Amino acid sequence: MRPPAVILVHPQLAENIGMTARAMANFGLSELRLVAPRDGWPKKGAHQAASGATHVLTEAKLYPTVAEAVADLAYVLATSARARGQMKPVLGPGPALAEAAARAARGEACGVMFGPERVGLDNDAVALADSLVTFPVDPAFASLNLAQAVLLVAYEWRRASGEARLPFPETAAAPPASRGAVVSLLEGLEAALDAAGHYPPEKRPVMTRNMRDMILRMAPTEQDVRTLRGALRSLTRRRRTSPAPGEGQGEDPLSRMGEG
Amino acid sequence: MRPPAVILVHPQLAENIGMTARAMANFGLSELRLVAPRDGWPKKGAHQAASGATHVLTEAKLYPTVAEAVADLAYVLATSARARGQMKPVLGPGPALAEAAARAARGEACGVMFGPERVGLDNDAVALADSLVTFPVDPAFASLNLAQAVLLVAYEWRRASGEARLPFPETAAAPPASRGAVVSLLEGLEAALDAAGHYPPEKRPVMTRNMRDMILRMAPTEQDVRTLRGALRSLTRRRRTSPAPGEGQGEDPLSRMGEG
C-alpha cells in the first residue's frame, strides 16, 4: 500500500523541510514534494535537520505549482488551522488518514498538502483538495510547527495503515513464583516479625493479611522471591548480632526453610 | 483534571527545550520539569524555539535529580526507544496516555519522562517509572526528535483526556438543492445537449442516466445549481451567436425555466 505523498507548498525554512523529512521517515513516509520553496532547492540546512533521513530529501521532487504537484493524485488532503468557507469535509488527523489508508488500499494515490509557515495554504490550493485536515490543538495556543504537523499526519498514517507496531516487546516476563514459594517467603517474614515483637497480638491477623495482600499485589517472580528472602535474611542477621568482619551467620529465621 | 508533567532529563539543546514547550502548549500541557539541563537554565535559544509558548518556559521547574523531579508524582511514564530488560509494562503512546488520563481523573499526579537527545533515559531513571512508553516508529528510521516525542505524548494526552476537539467545524452546509431544482437543471442540460446534437439516439437513455448519476453524486446545493445554470447559459449562448460587445442574449434553453 503506497503511503501518501507529503506536499509542502512554498515552505520557507530549510530546517523545517529537513525536520519534515525526519518526521516522515520516522513513520514510514518517503515521498516528499516541494512546491516552489521560498529560497530555492536544494537548500543548506535541510540535510542537517533531517538527521539522517537524507533519502527523503534527495528523492524530493520539485514542482512549480500546487496543481502540478497533485496532478497524479486521486485523493488529496489539505491541512488547515482555520475554517475556509469552502464546503469540504473537515477531519481530524485520525479519520483523515484512515480515509487515506482506505483509498490507498484500493490503489488510489494519496497526498497531504501543508502550507507555508505562519500563513498556511491559500484558498486556491485548498480548492484542489478533497477534505481539510485540522488538528485538535488548544485554541489558546494553536500554532503548530510545520514539521510537527507532518509528524502527526505520518503518525496517524502509520496507525491507519496497520503498521503501528511497537519497536520492542515487553521484557518477557520471568516465570511467576509459585504461590507456595510466595507463602513460604511470607511465613519467613511473619516469623521474623514475630521474633522482633512487631505484632500486637490482637492485630496480628489483620496485619498479616494486609502484608500478604501487598506482597501478592506485586505478583513476584521466582527471582523477586529470592531477592526478598535475601534482603530479609540480611535484616534479621543484623538485628540479632553485629558480626565482626568475616564472622558468622547469627540466627536466621529463614534458614529452616532450606533457602540457599 | 491535571495534565501530566513533562520531565526532560538532562536535555542538551536549548532549541529542543523550546520546541518541547511549544508542543506542550499546542495540546494543553503546561508543567515542564527540567532535570539538570546540560548547559544550565535558563538558556539562550529556548524562548525563540518556543515560538510564543513562553509561559511554559518561564514556569519550568529545575531539579538536580530525577528522583526529586518525580517525588510528588503517583504515576510516572518513561519514554524509551529500546527495551530495557526491566520488567515494566511497555505501552504505545495511546494506551499509555489513556492510563495516565484514568489516573489523573482519580486525582493522581502524573508525569512523563524523556531522556537526553541520542542516549535516552538511563536505567536508574527508568527504574523510577511505572511503565515504558515507546513509539510505533519505522525500525529503519527510529530516531525521533525529543520535541517530536513530546508532541506525540501531548497529542495522545489531549485525545485521552477528551479535550481533542477540532478547532473549527465544517462550514455549515448550505441547504441542499431540492431534487426538483436539480432535475430542472438536468433537463436544461439535456435540452442543450439535444440542441447541440450531442446524443446518438440509441445511447441517449444511458448517457442521460450517467450524467444524472454524476450530478446527483455531488449533492449540489441551491447555490451549486445556480452556478451550473449560469455556466450552462453562458456556454449555450456562445454556441448559438457570437454576440458583439454589449449585444443581446441569443436563444437560451434555460430561459424557459424562469431562472433569473
Side-chain angles (χ1 to χ4, degrees), chain B:
Chain B
M1 177 152 91
R2 177 177 159 189
V6 167
I7 303 148
L8 300 188
V9 178
H10 305 318
Q12 300 178 358
L13 302 176
E15 186 184 26
N16 281 335
I17 301 173
M19 290 191 62
T20 288
R22 180 177 183 178
M24 290 171 62
N26 282 146
F27 293 110
L29 304 188
S30 58
E31 194 178 345
L32 177 60
R33 301 179 178 196
L34 302 173
V35 178
R38 184 185 64 179
D39 300 333
W41 187 256
K43 210 178 132 193
K44 213 178 126 186
H47 274 71
Q48 196 193 339
S51 192
T54 44
H55 62 289
V56 176
L57 291 181
T58 53
E59 288 159 29
K61 285 187 217 111
L62 202 60
Y63 297 84
T65 65
V66 175
E68 286 161 283
V70 302
D72 62 325
L73 303 179
Y75 183 69
V76 178
L77 295 163
T79 54
S80 178
R82 58 183 202 278
R84 298 306 189 124
Q86 279 164 289
M87 283 186 54
K88 311 264 185 199
V90 175
L91 305 170
L97 276 297
E99 176 68 21
R103 305 282 192 137
R106 298 201 295 264
E108 297 181 23
C110 301
V112 187
M113 296 193 284
F114 299 80
E117 295 90 336
R118 283 193 302 281
V119 296
L121 291 168
D122 64 29
N123 287 341
D124 289 334
V126 170
L128 289 167
D130 293 276
S131 292
L132 290 174
V133 186
T134 192
F135 301 91
V137 289
D138 185 346
F141 194 80
S143 159
L144 202 57
N145 166 267
L146 175 55
Q148 302 276 49
V150 172
L151 182 82
L152 294 177
V153 162
Y155 173 74
E156 290 289 4
W157 163 260
R158 198 157 178 84
R159 187 202 305 265
S161 64
E163 295 291 313
R165 287 180 294 274
L166 298 184
F168 60 89
E170 289 189 22
T171 301
S178 68
R179 196 53 47 102
V182 180
V183 169
S184 162
L185 167 71
L186 287 163
E187 287 172 349
L189 175 60
E190 290 152 14
L193 291 170
D194 277 333
H198 176 71
Y199 296 116
E202 75 285 6
K203 291 195 176 167
R204 189 182 189 281
V206 68
M207 288 172 77
T208 299
R209 267 198 307 279
N210 287 347
M211 182 74 79
R212 289 184 167 213
D213 282 349
M214 198 176 73
I215 298 290
L216 282 168
R217 205 159 61 220
M218 77 163 63
T221 63
E222 294 285 353
Q223 178 57 51
D224 293 335
V225 168
R226 283 193 295 274
T227 299
L228 291 172
R229 275 184 185 287
L232 179 60
R233 197 162 50 235
S234 294
L235 288 172
T236 51
R237 205 155 54 205
R238 245 205 317 279
R239 281 188 59 78
R240 271 130 212 280
T241 72
S242 205
E247 207 214 355
Q249 300 295 317
E251 187 183 341
D252 178 352
L254 287 175
S255 63
R256 67 178 179 279
M257 277 170 283
E259 203 231 6

Side-chain angles (χ1 to χ4, degrees), chain A residues 100-117:
Chain A
R103 305 281 192 138
R106 298 200 295 265
E108 297 181 23
C110 301
V112 187
M113 294 192 285
F114 299 81
E117 294 91 335

Side-chain angles (χ1 to χ4, degrees), chain A residues 8 11 17 32-38 40-42 57 59-65 68-69:
Chain A
L8 301 188
I17 300 174
L32 177 60
R33 300 179 179 198
L34 302 174
V35 178
R38 184 185 64 180
W41 187 257
L57 292 181
E59 288 159 29
K61 284 187 216 110
L62 202 59
Y63 296 84
T65 65
E68 285 160 284

Side-chain angles (χ1 to χ4, degrees), chain A residues 62-225:
Chain A
L62 202 59
Y63 296 84
T65 65
V66 176
E68 285 160 284
V70 301
D72 62 326
L73 303 180
Y75 183 68
V76 178
L77 295 163
T79 55
S80 179
R82 57 183 204 278
R84 298 306 188 124
Q86 281 163 289
M87 283 185 51
K88 310 262 185 203
V90 175
L91 305 171
L97 276 296
E99 177 68 19
R103 305 281 192 138
R106 298 200 295 265
E108 297 181 23
C110 301
V112 187
M113 294 192 285
F114 299 81
E117 294 91 335
R118 284 193 303 281
V119 296
L121 291 168
D122 65 29
N123 287 342
D124 288 334
V126 170
L128 288 168
D130 293 276
S131 293
L132 290 175
V133 186
T134 192
F135 301 91
V137 289
D138 184 347
F141 193 81
S143 157
L144 201 58
N145 166 267
L146 174 55
Q148 302 275 49
V150 171
L151 182 81
L152 294 177
V153 162
Y155 173 73
E156 290 289 3
W157 163 261
R158 198 157 178 85
R159 188 202 305 265
S161 63
E163 295 291 313
R165 286 181 294 274
L166 298 184
F168 59 89
E170 291 190 22
T171 300
S178 69
R179 196 54 46 102
V182 179
V183 169
S184 162
L185 167 71
L186 287 163
E187 287 173 349
L189 175 59
E190 289 153 14
L193 291 169
D194 277 333
H198 176 69
Y199 298 116
E202 75 285 5
K203 291 195 176 165
R204 189 182 189 282
V206 68
M207 289 172 76
T208 300
R209 267 198 307 278
N210 288 347
M211 183 74 80
R212 289 184 169 214
D213 281 348
M214 198 175 74
I215 298 290
L216 283 169
R217 205 159 62 220
M218 77 164 62
T221 63
E222 295 285 352
Q223 177 57 52
D224 292 336
V225 169

Side-chain angles (χ1 to χ4, degrees), chain A residues 16-34:
Chain A
N16 281 335
I17 300 174
M19 290 190 62
T20 288
R22 180 177 182 176
M24 290 171 61
N26 282 147
F27 293 112
L29 304 188
S30 59
E31 193 177 346
L32 177 60
R33 300 179 179 198
L34 302 174

